[in-house]
Structures are given as structure tokens and as C-alpha cells.
Amino acid sequence: MTDRRVRGLRSLVRGRSGIVRDSPERSMDPRSAGDKPIPPRSHIIDNAIYVNGCRSATPESLREALESLKNTPGSMAWIGFYRPEDAVILNVAEKFDLHELAVEDAIVAHQRPKADRYGDTLFVVLRPARYLDEVEEVDFGELHVFVGHNFVVTVRHSEAPDLSQVRSRMQDDPELLGQGPQAVLYAILDAVVDGYAPVVAGLQNDIDEIEVQVFGNEPGVSRRIYELSREVIEFQRATQPLLGMIEGFIAGAVKYGVDEELQRYLRDVADHTITVGERVSGFRQMLHDILVVNSTMVAQAQNEHMTNLTEASNAQNEEVKRISAWAAILFAPTLVGTIYGMNFDVMPELHWAWGYPFAVLLMAGVCTTLYLVFKRRDWL
């Protein structure tokens, strides 16, 4: 790597204040914003030299690993890092002459899944995922893989996948591991894709629970649908580019001397990737349909509520009309009785012999007339 590239990468690593910035995974996952910073360290999980698929040495540093590669013909180095500091990635770039653009992506992180080739080095970005049963959420990580003609460097920023299991499985199969860095890349791809299976199962279980909540009219289900939709979209972003990436590896297998048996394994990983992609697409459609059904049911519930309010208002109006009608009917005799109940000596018809019968008949006639009028208008 030229001095200009080294200086450019060092300026990228350091912020404007001259302080080494946070590790890449902190910018990748918004949920880790409140985590405590990880103290600086090399973060080397495993450092091994393999010859013909068998582990021949375990160097304690990058310098020793490079010396072993130079002194052992036909050897391969597999170095694994877990959440390394930016300065560590820069040191790896200098030792293995990695391209500055690939190193920049590894430092900045938060990359989409992709595969870029820089000369003899292949740079692969993967987005592993795991399902957290306790909180019923999907935790996404990021994994960077540098593949050269005689080395593999993995930079892991998340708990998944457990590459120690991948390494152990490959060491148990020296024939497969003896095929070189391409075999290691296959094993990592296989582990990432296999890790999607529990996520798919967890999302399916969440969707089943949401369906029960929707038809049970449970409150807060709309928020859960929205949150799960975001996780499914993020999951689709992590898995969708994988198929094209693997198909590209298969298409270039002959050019880069990939063994035919390894090509079959890659096709198997591609089949699993297609299955995951189809399930994720189905999840998006299911959540869309569930959201439509939930919106319809909410609208129906609102309509029923409005209908009940309208019926109650109508019933109240009927009662008001009845009360008003009887009040009007009773008002007539009250008016007549009130007038002739005044204590005045000089009043018309006060000493008339037929005054009382006439007043009674007048009150009865007015009440009867009002009753018939209100009855005809359905107020009574």
C-alpha cells in the first residue's frame, strides 16, 4: 500500500478532533448508541496458518502470521477479528496490502451486502441476523471478509455468526479446507444463510401472534405491525443482495479456479438463499394484508360506534319529543287555571254561572286537540 493511501486511511480513521472515533458497529446499529464504549484492544479471536487443510501454526501477531505465510509454501492464513478498533483495521490493511476503498468501507461500516474485487483480493460484506426471543426482535450485525490468494481476514461486528464454529467445522474437514480461501468464504456464507432460518421462524411466529391480536381487537396491535414491518424490510435488505452475489461467485468459478465440488456447495447455499428471500417477500405481503385487515376492522369498529351513538341520539330525541309534547298538552289547562286562579274581584266571566264548565271543557278540548296533533306527527 502506498504512503499516500496510508495517509488517506489514517486521516479517515481520525476525526476532526484527532481522536480515534467509535468502533464501526456503533454507527451501524442505532440500538447500540447507548452502549458503553469498548476499550481499545487487538480483538484477534483466532489467528491460524493452514497447510493442506491442517492447522500448522497459531501466530500471536499479524507480523508472525505474515512471516509464516512467506516461509511456508502453499500455506493459508485465516485471521478473525471481533469488533476491532479502526487502527487495527488500518494495520491489517498495511500488512496485507488491502485496497483503500475496501478498508474505508470496513472502517465506516453500515454497508449493504456486496462483493467487490480489488485485484487479487475479494472484499465481501454480509449482514448476519439473529432472533432475540426475550424481546422478540431481530438483531442485525455486519461481517466483512477479505479474501486473498493465501489469506482470509474476517472482521465481525456482531455476535452472529459464531465463526469459531465455522472454523471448527472446516478444521474437521481438511479436504474441504484444503481448497483454500474460497472454501472458507463458502463456509462463512453458508453459516450466515443458515443463521437466517431461526430469524424466519421467529418472524413467522410474530406474524401468527399478530393475526390473533388483530382478530381479537387487542389494543396496540397497529404499532406492533409497524415495528415488525420495519424489521422485515431490514431483513429483506440483508438477504436480497445475497443471491446475486452468490450467483456471481458461481459464474466466476472457472475464472478463479474454484473447485467443482465447491461450486455445488455454493449452489446449495444459493437455493437456501432463494428460500429465505421467498419467505421474506411473503412476510411483507402478509403484513401488508394484515395491516389492511386491521385498518378495515378499526374502521368497522368506528362505524359501529358512530352507529350506536346515532341510535342513542335518535332515541334521546324521541324521548325529548315525548316530553315536549306532554309539556305542551299540560301547558293549556295550566294556563287557563292560572288565569282564573288570580285573586281579582273584577274579572270577565268571574260570576258567570257557566264559567266553570266552560273552563273545564276549554281545557279538555285544547288538550285533546294537542294530543291528536302530536300523535299524528309521531311525537307520542
Side-chain angles (χ1 to χ4, degrees), residues 28-45:
M28 175 191 65
D29 190 352
R31 282 174 292 186
S32 63
D35 296 343
K36 296 181 178 180
I38 300 174
R41 51 186 176 181
S42 64
H43 300 267
I44 295 181
I45 301 301

Side-chain angles (χ1 to χ4, degrees), residues 214 217 222 290-307:
V214 167
N217 295 323
S222 298
I290 291 174
L291 186 60
V292 171
V293 171
N294 182 64
S295 300
T296 302
M297 295 184 67
V298 170
Q300 289 179 347
Q302 291 177 345
N303 291 337
E304 291 178 358
H305 182 65
M306 293 300 297
T307 300

